[in-house]
Amino acid sequence: MKTMKAIVKASQQLGGLELRDVPFPTPDDDQVLIKIKKTAICGTDIHIFNWDAWAQKTIKTPQIIGHEFVGEVVAVGRLVSTVKVGQIVSGEGHLVCGYCRNCISGFPHLCCHTVGIGVNMDGVFSEYIAFPASNVWVCDPSIPLDVLSIQDPLGNAVHTALSFPVLGEDVLVTGAGPIGLMSVPILRRAGARYIVVTDINPERLKLAKELGADATVDVRSQTIQEVVAKFPLIREGFDVGLEMSGSASAFSDMVEAMANGGNIAILGILPQDQQVNWNKVIFSSLTLRGIYGRQMYDTWYKMTALLQTGLDKDVAKVITHNFDYTNFQEAFELMAAGKSGKVILDWSE
Ligand code: NAD
Ligand code: ZN
């Protein structure tokens, strides 16, 4: 039997990743076969690596993990006419049903049967993958491969940053992880007036400044209000908030810092027992919107347009490490220790 290498969550424990020989995939009639060139490690993969409560509930072992990738099409199924051999492609990792109310109404990002590649089924950390043609995104090959490999989280940033109008608005971003960082140049291009970013990591806050934040707040030593006091034009609080930390206290800080009528988009995965100051939400007429994934495929279209007009340079700054895929263990440990931005695994020989 023909085999290929893949990174598999093999055992139900901290770490538990193995490089294994797995069966070589054969694409179905409506799939394409992709030779993986680069993959990136997501926070979700770190949850699986750490084998936390969410991973224990969600992941069936053994399973190939990973969902952020770029590769080259090497074969297409009999029914595929939209993708060609030789194209550089990435893909939407949320597979939708196509028949639920939201799918048939043109809102597949709201599908109630969404299945996640690398989470609910085998993922992309492998030499090849058979991928549904419907979910393939054909890339502009002039954009660097490293950048193309992180379109999944970049798409989270695009979708979240554009979920409310920001032209002329003051925006608070809680969390300067890769997604929070990438949202800054997008907010800038969308016309935000002031962009303030919070975190507890000085290096990440420095990068936020480089990417165009007007001010940063290290919430370990400063309050948002102390920093906002230096901006006389921000009189009544923030108009738009992007929660991108998953931290309970960051979300609470954000709610307090919003102007009446403000809009909050929540991407960060907050704890189940998150406390919310409902009096502030109600009496300040705040809108809270949960964000999952990306809009199919408007986010991908806008993201490509942004990358083709300079965003690729900004996005490249959040990539801090490149490893050969065989050194995956070191890459995961580095990322799990919080000592990196985006970490890329290289699969091209
Ligand atoms: P990340 O974990 O790298 O970034 C989170 C950042 O928040 C870190 O820099 C951390 O230092 C910072 N932080 C911690 N405590 C803080 C506090 N009190 N105040 C301000 N900042 C604080 O994650 P990421 O990859 O950038 O993703 C951001 C969030 O979005 C994560 O929670 C992730 O799980 C979530 N996510 C959600 C979706 C979705 O579809 N909803 C998709 C991808 C990621
Ligand atoms: Zn559906």
Side-chain angles (χ1 to χ4, degrees):
M1 186 179 61
K2 196 174 170 192
T3 62
M4 64 169 182
K5 298 284 184 207
I7 300 172
V8 175
K9 180 77 184 184
S11 53
Q12 307 193 351
Q13 60 182 66
L14 173 68
L17 299 180
E18 286 175 17
L19 194 60
R20 282 195 177 174
D21 291 312
V22 301
F24 194 92
T26 311
D28 293 339
D29 288 348
D30 58 354
Q31 291 184 325
V32 305
L33 184 66
I34 300 168
K35 171 151 187 17
I36 298 290
K37 286 182 173 288
K38 307 247 184 182
T39 60
I41 304 176
C42 171
T44 304
D45 304 319
I46 297 299
H47 286 288
I48 298 171
F49 177 77
N50 287 334
W51 204 239
D52 64 10
W54 169 83
Q56 291 174 30
K57 201 170 70 207
T58 314
I59 307 296
K60 310 255 181 298
T61 55
Q63 187 187 285
I64 303 171
I65 64 167
H67 55 274
E68 302 181 0
F69 75 98
V70 64
E72 182 177 342
V73 178
V74 292
V76 303
R78 197 171 53 87
L79 300 176
V80 177
S81 58
T82 49
V83 186
K84 308 261 176 290
V85 169
Q87 284 179 320
I88 297 296
V89 296
S90 183
E92 170 56 58
H94 287 179
L95 306 187
V96 300
C97 74
Y99 60 81
C100 74
R101 179 200 173 156
N102 282 313
C103 278
I104 60 171
S105 306
F107 308 115
H109 63 292
L110 303 177
C111 173
C112 57
H113 301 120
T114 302
V115 173
I117 289 183
V119 175
N120 312 110
M121 59 188 287
D122 276 338
V124 303
F125 286 0
S126 52
E127 290 180 283
Y128 291 84
I129 181 164
F131 202 81
S134 60
N135 277 50
V136 167
W137 186 257
V138 178
C139 300
D140 178 339
S142 71
I143 299 166
L145 286 176
D146 282 7
V147 170
L148 291 175
S149 75
I150 60 166
Q151 289 178 97
D152 175 294
L154 175 61
N156 294 136
V158 170
H159 184 28
T160 313
L162 302 183
S163 59
F164 294 109
V166 294
L167 178 64
E169 307 285 30
D170 298 325
V171 183
L172 176 64
V173 179
T174 47
I179 302 178
L181 287 170
M182 291 190 287
S183 74
V184 173
I186 299 162
L187 290 167
R188 188 52 81 210
R189 283 169 171 75
R193 183 171 61 175
Y194 290 122
I195 304 169
V196 177
V197 180
T198 73
D199 205 288
I200 53 172
N201 177 328
E203 277 155 43
R204 290 186 162 186
L205 290 173
K206 188 161 158 269
L207 194 47
K209 269 275 179 71
E210 281 173 42
L211 289 167
D214 297 288
T216 59
V217 187
D218 186 335
V219 294
R220 296 171 308 170
S221 55
Q222 296 171 294
T223 65
I224 295 170
Q225 283 69 22
E226 279 164 5
V227 173
V228 166
K230 297 179 195 144
F231 292 83
L233 295 178
I234 309 182
R235 289 203 199 97
E236 296 165 5
F238 289 92
D239 309 299
V240 174
L242 310 184
E243 197 327 275
M244 297 187 150
S245 73
S247 152
S249 64
F251 180 68
S252 298
D253 293 348
M254 173 174 277
V255 167
E256 298 310 320
M258 297 303 290
N260 284 6
N263 293 313
I264 297 180
I266 309 171
L267 181 88
I269 300 170
L270 295 169
Q272 283 300 325
D273 58 356
Q274 174 75 42
Q275 299 292 307
V276 181
N277 180 354
W278 290 114
N279 281 343
K280 167 82 185 190
V281 172
I282 294 159
F283 294 113
S284 297
S285 302
L286 301 184
T287 298
L288 311 183
R289 178 182 293 174
I291 304 286
Y292 182 46
R294 298 142 297 278
Q295 222 170 312
M296 297 167 211
Y297 278 83
D298 193 51
T299 300
W300 288 86
Y301 186 90
K302 287 197 171 89
M303 177 162 60
T304 300
L306 290 166
L307 288 173
Q308 287 167 328
T309 51
L311 189 73
D312 56 334
K313 313 266 182 317
D314 295 318
V315 169
K317 291 184 186 152
V318 311
I319 300 170
T320 55
H321 295 80
N322 250 287
F323 288 90
D324 189 77
Y325 75 92
T326 52
N327 296 329
F328 69 91
Q329 188 67 29
E330 198 185 332
F332 269 83
E333 280 165 14
L334 178 92
M335 184 135 171
K339 297 208 174 97
S340 68
K342 288 304 286 186
V343 176
I344 309 279
L345 299 176
D346 192 336
W347 296 77
S348 49
E349 276 107 83

